[in-house]
Amino acid sequence: MLPSLQSTRNAFISGLLLLAPLGVCVFVINFLITNVGDPASKLFFSSLKIQETPFSKILLSIAAIILVSIAITLFGFLSKYVMGRFIVRFTEALFRKLPFFNSIYKTVKQIIDTFASQKTAVFQKVVMVEFPRKGVYVIGFLTGEAKGEIETKCQTRLLNIFVPTTPNPTSGFLLMLPPEDVTVLDMSIAEGMKLIISGGAVIPEQTTNGTEPAK
């Protein structure tokens, strides 16, 4: 018996999701070799009289990437000491004074500092909320509680919920909702992300006896 169109589509999406990490790895490796390895190999090994072949070019690129990685690691170690901290602060001060680049630098640094300061995963639980109106439900991720000025001005406890867009989960909406308006689901973060990326085609099986309100 031939599989139905829906099951074939679900199988294709499942295969695509399984192969996506491999594709990303291949893309990153190709990016490193092309944009880091090739320029760095010319810088490090240009004085060596090596016959250039496709195989030797790849080997030199890999060696150059390793050297760059070692240099970055050493820089990380040096940043813990006085001289290293001085270099980092000097570089930061320089970028902050450059027009256009200062806004890019501040934004990227703020994002990195935010994620680096997290002792737990950014996405804590998969949740379901009514958005953009009553009776319409979306999948989101609990990222924490609203603190500081937001908590003070609202005078109530609010949960930060990130609602990604489909099929691109890198953009979305930040909702701040009271716990009673948030329903925690039993599915894992990975299962919730698959559900969003697939546009609802890949639905995880229910593992427990239902959902519960956020606490």
Side-chain angles (χ1 to χ4, degrees):
M1 184 177 180
L2 293 175
S4 65
L5 181 61
Q6 183 177 359
S7 61
T8 303
R9 183 189 63 177
N10 292 348
F12 173 78
I13 294 175
S14 298
L16 195 63
L17 292 175
L18 290 173
L19 291 174
L22 178 62
V24 172
C25 291
V26 172
F27 172 79
V28 170
I29 292 172
N30 180 69
F31 177 84
L32 288 175
I33 292 177
T34 304
N35 297 278
V36 178
D38 288 348
S41 64
K42 293 177 182 178
L43 177 65
F44 295 145
F45 307 119
S46 59
S47 60
L48 300 178
K49 305 295 184 179
I50 300 177
Q51 184 179 0
E52 186 172 313
T53 63
F55 182 70
S56 65
K57 187 177 180 180
I58 293 176
L59 283 181
L60 290 177
S61 297
I62 294 174
I65 292 173
I66 294 174
L67 289 176
V68 171
S69 301
I70 293 174
I72 293 174
T73 304
L74 289 176
F75 181 75
F77 280 121
L78 289 175
S79 66
K80 298 179 180 179
Y81 300 98
V82 176
M83 189 61 186
R85 287 198 297 267
F86 171 78
I87 296 174
V88 171
R89 289 173 183 171
F90 175 79
T91 305
E92 288 184 349
L94 179 63
F95 273 100
R96 289 179 186 275
K97 292 180 180 179
L98 292 175
F100 178 72
F101 289 101
N102 59 352
S103 58
I104 298 176
Y105 179 81
K106 289 177 183 178
T107 303
V108 174
K109 191 174 189 307
Q110 186 176 18
I111 294 173
I112 293 174
D113 290 343
T114 299
F115 281 90
S117 62
Q118 295 285 341
K119 296 182 180 179
T120 58
V122 176
F123 295 158
Q124 300 175 12
K125 295 178 181 179
V126 182
V127 300
M128 185 171 61
V129 299
E130 289 185 282
F131 176 80
R133 60 174 176 83
K134 289 287 185 180
V136 177
Y137 294 88
V138 295
I139 297 296
F141 298 96
L142 173 67
T143 60
E145 292 192 24
K147 300 291 185 182
E149 182 181 0
I150 296 172
E151 184 181 34
T152 303
K153 292 291 179 64
C154 293
Q155 292 294 312
T156 185
R157 182 176 173 233
L158 297 174
L159 300 179
N160 293 331
I161 307 298
F162 175 65
V163 177
T165 54
T166 301
N168 177 19
T170 58
S171 62
F173 304 91
L174 172 62
L175 310 181
M176 299 180 186
L177 303 171
E180 58 267 22
D181 291 343
V182 179
T183 301
V184 176
L185 301 180
D186 298 315
M187 66 180 70
S188 66
I189 303 297
E191 289 173 334
M193 193 61 71
K194 287 180 183 179
L195 176 61
I196 291 171
I197 294 175
S198 68
V202 180
I203 302 176
E205 296 182 1
Q206 186 172 346
T207 55
T208 58
N209 297 323
T211 59
E212 58 177 324
K215 298 179 180 179

